[in-house]
Amino acid sequence: MHRALRALISLSIAGAAAIAALWAVASLTWPFGWDHGAFAWVGDVIVRGGMPYRDAFDVKGPLSFYPSALVQLVTGRGAWGIRLFDLVLLLAAAAVVFRVASRFAGRAAGIGAAGVWVLAYANTGFMNTAQPDGWVAWILLLAAAPFLLGDPRPGPLRFAILGAGVAVTALLKPHYAAFLVVPAAAIACDPRPEARTRQALAVAAGFLAPIALWLGVAAATGSFSAYVDAFIRFNSAKNSAGLLGAVATSLSYGALADPALLVAFPIAVAAIPLVARIDRRAGWLLGAWVGVALPLVLLQRPYYPYRLHILTPVLAILAASFLAMPDRDGTAIPGAPSRGALAGTFLLLALATFGRFPLGEAVRAARFVAGRISAESHYARYASWHATAADERAAAAFITDSLPPGPVLAWNHPAVAFLAGRPAAGRFQIETPVSARLAPALRDRYLRLLEAELGEHPPSVVVTEDTLGTGGACLACLPPFAALGEKGAALAAPFSLRFQAGTIVVYARGSSATTGELRGIYSRAVREAESLEAR
């Protein structure tokens, strides 16, 4: 029975690894989701010599955009570059998950923990991968690796690196500065007061250096006030009220809907004291991580599955450690997994693998690469807001091929302007500042700023969504012009409809489109996709 179970687990792990590898390749064919399009747009502004916030309004942290700018410089303007960047970081973090879990529970459990986590990440889909929240956990894992792997006396440099890692997460989202409790837990485990003082100073120096560097760059480029407005003021206003409702929504809509999390979380919490008996510093550090990450997941609103990425790698480590530590007194680390370890690893692998089986994505991507599925059908499967990636690509192609050069207002679909290779008209391209739950005075302020932007930097092309079913006949009825009332109608007057793909409509200055220009590709792409699905 033991031998048969080991064989079954080995086969399961090998199959999961194969699925993960296929998914990784398939993910390179994924298009931009809504956030990815916004990151690409801000990255494009940076590449063109601009600055986030000052020249492109977004509410994410500054380090959310620079990876996209770097990727554009290295790999060009395709969507695959940011996916490759994501996979490189994922692989590095998976190696840390494997090594840490192996230390506490043996090699098989380490493989299981890394496999569970990678598949859980893959299962969140194209919208929720390549997101800064995932990078937060991975950066912290890499910075905390020496503490988790048993360095008996980490020096000040290691504490400074850990502090800098937390600073990087805070530059991705400000509230992730709460992860300072992680180095604080590591410091508290040292019995020497003088050592704790040195370590705290090292963490503070490491944390403040990246923050000071960014603030210096923002001040030198005239971006500081715009940064404070978008990143600090807006996020504080958006998340300061209705916290109980946000927690309830996150629990009901998100966290409690994932059976793997429901299994892994209580097991992980039970593992913390067991890990601490083997390595006090590692146990405290992991416990502090879980203790701060869960509230951060639940308090952000609205809830998105990618929020869980700051928690899941640590849950995988702890759950595997609990299930695969047969020696409960902590006097020895097992060299081989027990039956309980094998059964537990298999259970978690099954939950993560079969919850939203990612193999189908790999098969479809292979068919697309082989030419068995058209680009329209492939991209029609991926939707952002009320439009598909096929809609966005068709609109971008029309702008590139049929309209003269000029700035584009791609409202809520900045990926269209990016894919078309056109500069954005003004710094407002997303609806967040005028649609979020803000105090009326603050929302009105952003509406006035938007109105001023449209007046000072008039676009030559407007891209928006026609979710009202007007047939694109009334640009003034559509966002963002509808929010501006009569002034919006005046700003929309010079534009006429030139193209439509699904709900995406493209307007340009000048005469109306001819019948031939108004090509309805959306229904054709959907019909083809449905036909392929049926076959």
Side-chain angles (χ1 to χ4, degrees), residues 287-314:
W289 188 322
V290 171
V292 73
L294 184 61
L296 289 174
V297 169
L298 297 179
L299 291 176
Q300 297 182 68
R301 62 181 189 183
Y303 173 84
Y304 295 111
Y306 61 71
R307 309 264 193 242
L308 286 170
H309 295 332
I310 65 173
L311 184 61
T312 48
V314 178

Side-chain angles (χ1 to χ4, degrees), residues 95-194:
V96 176
V97 171
F98 162 71
R99 291 191 62 195
V100 175
S102 296
R103 179 185 176 218
F104 294 113
R107 185 179 179 85
I111 295 173
V116 164
W117 173 58
V118 170
L119 287 171
Y121 180 76
N123 283 335
T124 60
F126 91 107
M127 286 283 285
N128 295 290
T129 49
Q131 289 276 2
D133 297 76
W135 306 338
V136 163
W138 308 347
I139 290 165
L140 280 179
L141 271 176
L142 295 172
F147 301 90
L148 298 174
L149 293 174
D151 188 336
R153 289 206 169 185
L157 179 60
R158 296 206 186 279
F159 281 93
I161 291 173
L162 186 53
V166 177
V168 169
T169 71
L171 288 172
L172 288 165
K173 287 189 176 181
H175 43 273
Y176 288 154
F179 278 113
L180 280 171
V181 301
V182 171
I187 292 170
C189 291
D190 198 309
R192 301 165 297 161
E194 68 284 357

Side-chain angles (χ1 to χ4, degrees), residues 41 47 53 83 134 141 210 249 254 340 382 469 518 528:
W41 155 54
V47 170
Y53 313 112
R83 300 291 178 181
L141 271 176
T249 300
Y382 302 97
L518 287 174
E528 187 176 354

Side-chain angles (χ1 to χ4, degrees), residues 287-516:
W289 188 322
V290 171
V292 73
L294 184 61
L296 289 174
V297 169
L298 297 179
L299 291 176
Q300 297 182 68
R301 62 181 189 183
Y303 173 84
Y304 295 111
Y306 61 71
R307 309 264 193 242
L308 286 170
H309 295 332
I310 65 173
L311 184 61
T312 48
V314 178
L315 294 187
I317 291 171
L318 288 169
S321 299
F322 178 83
L323 291 166
M325 274 197 291
D327 188 358
R328 297 301 187 200
D329 63 7
T331 57
I333 304 299
S338 66
R339 297 184 188 186
L342 295 171
T345 303
F346 176 77
L347 172 63
L348 291 179
L349 277 173
L351 284 171
T353 305
F354 298 109
R356 290 171 294 275
F357 200 51
L359 182 58
E361 289 282 354
V363 172
R364 284 191 291 271
R367 296 182 68 192
F368 167 59
V369 172
R372 301 289 300 278
I373 299 176
S374 70
E376 286 181 1
S377 296
H378 179 67
Y379 292 118
R381 297 178 181 276
Y382 302 97
S384 296
W385 291 86
H386 304 98
T388 69
D391 300 339
E392 291 188 336
R393 292 168 65 87
F398 175 79
I399 293 170
T400 301
D401 298 339
S402 304
L403 297 179
V408 176
L409 171 65
W411 187 253
N412 241 23
H413 289 275
V416 174
F418 175 79
L419 293 171
R422 302 292 176 89
R427 69 188 188 107
F428 289 99
Q429 298 279 318
I430 58 175
E431 72 168 13
T432 306
V434 297
S435 67
R437 296 180 180 177
L438 302 174
L442 185 57
R443 182 176 181 274
D444 289 344
R445 175 176 171 273
Y446 283 122
L447 284 171
R448 290 195 300 271
L449 289 172
L450 172 62
E451 177 190 335
E453 282 281 325
L454 290 174
E456 294 171 9
H457 305 284
S460 62
V461 178
V462 173
V463 180
T464 186
E465 285 186 358
D466 179 15
T467 57
L468 302 177
T470 68
C474 178
L475 177 57
C477 304
L478 303 176
F481 300 96
L484 298 175
E486 293 182 0
K487 294 179 180 179
L491 291 167
F495 294 91
S496 57
L497 179 66
R498 300 298 300 275
F499 179 81
Q500 182 166 6
T503 59
I504 296 272
V505 282
V506 179
Y507 297 81
R509 293 178 180 271
S511 60
S512 299
T514 64
T515 302

Side-chain angles (χ1 to χ4, degrees), residues 201-261:
L201 291 173
V203 168
F207 179 80
L208 292 175
I211 303 292
L213 177 62
W214 161 250
L215 293 179
V217 169
T221 56
S223 307
F224 182 78
S225 61
Y227 161 73
V228 172
D229 177 55
F231 188 50
I232 306 298
R233 185 181 184 186
F234 177 90
N235 284 306
S236 298
K238 174 173 167 280
N239 292 297
S240 61
L243 294 182
L244 290 178
V247 172
T249 300
S250 296
L251 282 170
S252 60
Y253 175 70
L256 294 182
D258 192 329
L261 184 68

